[in-house]
Amino acid sequence: MPRKLEDVLDYFLPGAGVAASVAHANAYPGEEPQPIDHAHYDWSPDANPSPRTRADRPAALPIIALPIGDRDVVRAAFAWNLSVEFARFGANATLLAPADPAAASLWPPSGRGPIGAKLELVHATNLRELHRAALDLAVSRAADAQNGGVILTRVPPTWLNGTSEGRALLRWVLLFAATESKDLRETYGLAKRVLQAGPTHRLGITIHGVRRIEEAERAFSRLADTTQRHLGHAVVSYGLLMDDLHIYRAIVAHRPIGLEHPQSRAARALRDVARLLLEDAQEQALG
C-alpha cells in the first residue's frame, strides 16, 4: 500500500524525529526503545547503524531520480543534505549530477564530502547517458555497501520531454513540493511529465517550506488526490521538511544542515526523510 502523509506524521511531532528513529533502529526485537540524549549522542556512522542491515549485498544500489532545475538551489541543497544523512546511517551515499556549467552553482566541489557522502559530476548530455552513468555507479558502489545505500541522481527537467532512451532511470522518482498553490500546480505538472516520460513505479513526494504539520497534510493530500484522479498513479509520502531558514543559512555556509545546525527541526526532519527513503531502498534491494 502507498504510504500516506498521515502514516509518517509521528516522525515529525514534538519528541519524535531523530531520537525516535535512532532509538527504534537500535532496539533489540521486543525491547522498548530508549530515548536518545541529543547533546551527548555519537553521530559517527559506526555508532549509528543503518535501520536495516544485511550480510549479503545487492548487485546494484537502488537509484532515485530527482528532477531539479538549473537554478533550484534549495532543492539541490535538499538532495545533497539527504546524501549526507544517508552517510550518517552508515549507508553508501552518492549524489550523481550532470556536469553542466549552467547548474554549477547548485553543488559543492565534487568528490568525497562530509561523513563519506560523495558527489559525482558526469559529462552526460541526455537521459540515456545519465542513466548509464547511474547504473555504472549503482553496480560499482554496491560492492562496498555493507549497510546498503542509494544513488541519488539529479535529472534536468528539460530532459523529460519526448525521450524514449534512458526512461528506466525514472523508475523511482522523488519530487520536492512547497505548500503554496502555485508550487503544487508546478509539481503536479512535473509529475505528469515524469509519468509520461518513463516507467515510473514509485513516485515520492516530500513537502517542504512547512510551518505547521496540518499545512503539509493538506498540501500532500491535494497533490496526491489530483495525481491519482487525473494521472491514475499513486503517490508515496516521504515526509516533510521544516524551517527553510536554516537551510538557507547552511547553503550560505557551504555546510550540511546536520553539521551546521544539528539540533534544528530542519536537520531532524531531513534525517527522518532520509531514513524513510533508505528503508524503502533496502526493501527494494532485498526484493
Side-chain angles (χ1 to χ4, degrees):
M1 294 292 290
R3 185 191 296 117
K4 298 180 180 179
L5 187 62
E6 54 264 33
D7 298 327
V8 298
L9 286 181
D10 57 303
Y11 301 124
F12 303 96
L13 294 172
V18 178
S21 63
V22 173
H24 279 278
N26 293 343
Y28 290 100
E31 178 184 82
E32 185 67 19
Q34 298 301 312
I36 301 296
D37 181 356
H38 287 281
H40 300 95
Y41 193 72
D42 184 353
W43 289 108
S44 63
D46 291 340
N48 282 290
S50 176
R52 297 177 186 175
T53 61
R54 52 179 305 199
D56 54 327
R57 302 172 192 175
L61 296 181
I63 299 170
I64 305 178
L66 298 90
I68 296 173
D70 291 344
R71 299 179 182 275
D72 200 337
V73 176
V74 173
R75 288 182 172 93
F78 291 156
W80 172 236
N81 278 276
L82 281 174
S83 68
V84 173
E85 294 305 320
F86 289 146
R88 282 180 183 267
F89 279 119
N92 192 297
T94 303
L95 174 60
L96 176 70
D100 184 356
S105 62
L106 297 180
W107 315 113
S110 61
R112 187 180 178 89
I115 322 179
K118 303 175 187 70
L119 172 65
E120 297 280 350
L121 300 179
V122 295
H123 293 285
T125 59
N126 54 52
L127 199 64
R128 178 182 60 83
E129 294 175 357
L130 185 60
H131 180 220
R132 181 180 299 172
L135 277 178
D136 288 345
L137 269 180
V139 171
S140 63
R141 295 287 159 82
D144 299 323
Q146 296 182 6
N147 294 327
V150 177
I151 307 295
L152 293 177
T153 305
R154 182 254 168 167
V155 177
T158 55
W159 292 5
L160 299 174
N161 297 329
T163 183
S164 58
E165 295 184 321
R167 294 165 64 246
L169 180 60
L170 306 176
R171 289 182 181 275
W172 186 0
V173 176
L174 176 65
L175 302 176
F176 299 105
T179 57
E180 293 81 5
S181 295
K182 179 177 181 293
D183 195 88
L184 290 175
R185 288 193 297 269
E186 291 175 351
T187 303
Y188 169 77
L190 186 54
K192 183 176 182 179
R193 291 166 62 189
V194 166
L195 294 173
Q196 289 173 339
T200 305
H201 299 301
R202 183 176 302 174
L203 179 61
I205 302 289
T206 294
I207 303 293
H208 71 93
V210 174
R211 291 169 295 182
R212 297 183 301 276
I213 288 176
E214 295 80 7
E215 199 176 20
E217 187 173 22
R218 287 194 300 270
F220 176 80
S221 296
R222 179 179 172 186
L223 187 55
D225 292 347
T226 303
T227 303
Q228 180 69 66
R229 185 167 61 252
H230 294 289
L231 304 179
H233 202 286
V235 173
V236 178
S237 172
Y238 287 104
L240 56 93
L241 298 174
M242 310 178 88
D243 284 350
D244 278 3
L245 178 59
H246 280 104
I247 293 168
Y248 299 138
R249 288 173 176 168
I251 291 172
V252 172
H254 302 289
R255 292 262 292 171
I257 300 168
L259 300 181
E260 188 70 10
H261 305 286
Q263 304 304 325
S264 67
R265 293 195 303 172
R268 296 197 301 269
L270 263 165
R271 185 164 179 83
D272 280 317
V273 172
R275 182 185 53 76
L276 293 172
L277 289 165
L278 188 57
E279 285 181 345
D280 280 4
Q282 290 173 328
E283 287 182 2
Q284 179 175 318
L286 286 168

